[in-house]
């Protein structure tokens, strides 16, 4: 084995003495690399464009924390609708499990935001300034000269600028592009919280992509550790064909060799520094850089491509990969159940919401033979347009019940809400039992209606004996 070749005994990013080893992957060309860059450009464009694209008067994705409104491509969720987030999170998780069971960690190498920014933004800048992998490794070991210092300052300055841009775009998802631009016209003191968020994110991004790098995928991200539970022998991952490649090296009369010439090109281009010939490892992110690198070498030495390829363990052993198997069938069923549950949940989202609670203090008041109950009604307009509502009492209530607070309609602006105090009074002589009722709020123009939960009109027990004067001696022992 050549010196410096990664093994399974330790992490490839750690020296023998335990110190950090920085990975400087070489550039590679090939169909998978080209398609990854196309996918990265599309995803970067989506990330930048979403806050700019208006849908129903709001950005396509706008998490308006201040107003407690969350907009997703025209669908507006109020705080009370955040239970829908459970279905979104579980749906993403099930989808990730499903994709992993079929194609391994293709998410990490092709669509993960961290890998995308690391490989397609920061390392592209680094290659532009410091050169390819060999040049960067040579520059790292070189003594500190004026040229090296200048390159470091220039590179890290661009890293900080890119980190700040990414942080500002991220903030725009929560405050909107318009508000973000207005904030940028003032000093940081005018918007200290927003400035602090951007400053923190810029620092965190700069630290992660300039120094921490692949350590995030290896140490912090739990997904790599889950792959052993999510994949099996039929999952399509990146693998090395040992039957065809071994023994490695140059063939001689005394020693026949396989197709692998042990050029270590697959190691040089790996963004996490592993040797894929050692088998599937925790650090592998499924980026296919080693596939393109090996195919390029095989073409040069006039041998068939595919020594390193996307295949299952079964396929690499000469068997037939089965995509349809109990694991994938189970995940498919789970996904169909999720789709049905999510579709049903979406139908429960109404453009109008009304809720009522009993006001603090006593449950009821009795004054001059009149029983009084007090409630607080909240009406939320979840439309992106002004709406006018009428309020009415629904339920079996006495004719002598009087309600103060429902004598007129209320008009709410787009995405507005209002609190209204309702005072219900009833002569004590007419109170025979606890009356149940709901409050119905109806959009006058559109006909949308929302009913509150069932409430009770409370009062003194009508079966109780009349109150009499109390004798303190009866209570002293």
């Amino acid at each position: 084995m050549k010196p410096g070749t990664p093994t399974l005994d330790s992490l490839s990013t750690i020296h023998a003495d335990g110190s950090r080893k920085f990975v400087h992957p070489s550039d590679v060309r090939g169909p998978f690399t080209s398609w990854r860059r196309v996918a990265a450009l599309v995803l970067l464009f989506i990330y930048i464009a979403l806050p700019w694209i208006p849908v129903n008067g709001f950005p396509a994705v706008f998490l308006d924390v201040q107003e407690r409104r969350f907009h997703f491509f025209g669908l507006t969720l109020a705080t009370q609708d955040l239970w829908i987030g459970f279905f979104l999170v579980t749906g993403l998780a099930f989808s990730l499990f499903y994709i992993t069971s079929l194609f391994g960690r293709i998410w990490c190498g092709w669509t993960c935001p961290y890998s995308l920014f690391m490989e397609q933004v920061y390392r592209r800048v680094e290659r532009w300034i410091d050169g390819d992998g060999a040049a960067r490794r040579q520059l790292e070991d070189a003594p500190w000269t004026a040229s090296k210092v200048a390159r470091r300052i220039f590179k890290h300055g661009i890293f900080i600028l890119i980190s700040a841009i990414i942080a500002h775009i991220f903030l725009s998802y929560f405050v909107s592009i318009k508000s973000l631009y207005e904030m940028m016209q003032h000093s940081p003191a005018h918007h200290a919280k927003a400035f602090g968020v951007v400053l923190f994110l810029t620092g965190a991004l700069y630290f992660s992509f300039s120094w921490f790098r692949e350590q995030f995928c290896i140490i912090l991200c739990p997904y790599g550790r889950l792959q052993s539970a999510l994949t099996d022998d039929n999952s399509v991952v990146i693998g090395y064909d040992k039957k065809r490649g071994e023994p490695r090296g140059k063939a001689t009369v005394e020693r026949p060799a396989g197709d692998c010439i042990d050029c270590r090109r697959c190691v040089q281009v790996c963004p996490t520094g592993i040797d894929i010939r050692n088998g599937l490892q925790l650090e592998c992110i499924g980026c296919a850089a080693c596939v393109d690198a090996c195919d390029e070498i095989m073409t040069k030495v006039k041998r068939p491509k595919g020594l390193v390829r996307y295949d299952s363990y079964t396929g690499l052993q000469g068997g037939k990969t089965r995509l349809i198997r109990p694991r994938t069938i189970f995940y498919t069923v789970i996904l169909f159940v999720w789709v049905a549950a999510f579709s049903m949940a979406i139908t429960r989202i109404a453009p109008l919401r009304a809720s009522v609670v009993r006001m603090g203090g006593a449950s009821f008041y009795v004054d001059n033979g009149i029983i009084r109950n007090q409630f607080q009604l909240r009406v939320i307009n979840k439309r992106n347009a002004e709406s006018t509502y009428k309020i009415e009492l629904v339920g079996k209530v006495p004719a002598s019940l009087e309600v103060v607070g429902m004598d007129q309609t209320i008009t709410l602006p787009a995405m507005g809400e209002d609190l209204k105090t309702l005072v219900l009074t009833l002569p004590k002589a007419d109170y025979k039992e606890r009356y149940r009722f709901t409050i119905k709020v109806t959009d006058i123009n559109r006909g949308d209606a929302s009913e509150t939960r069932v409430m009770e009109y409370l009062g003194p027990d009508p079966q109780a004996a009349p109150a009499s004067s109390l004798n303190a001696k009866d209570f002293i022992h």
Side-chain angles (χ1 to χ4, degrees), residues 239-257:
Y240 166 67
D241 192 340
K242 286 188 177 182
K243 289 185 176 182
R244 176 185 154 190
E246 300 296 329
R248 310 171 192 171
K250 185 177 181 180
T252 63
V253 177
E254 297 80 9
R255 179 183 178 276

Side-chain angles (χ1 to χ4, degrees), residues 283-296:
E283 299 97 322
C284 179
I285 61 172
C287 65
C290 55
V291 177
D292 283 337
C294 186
D295 285 348
E296 186 180 19

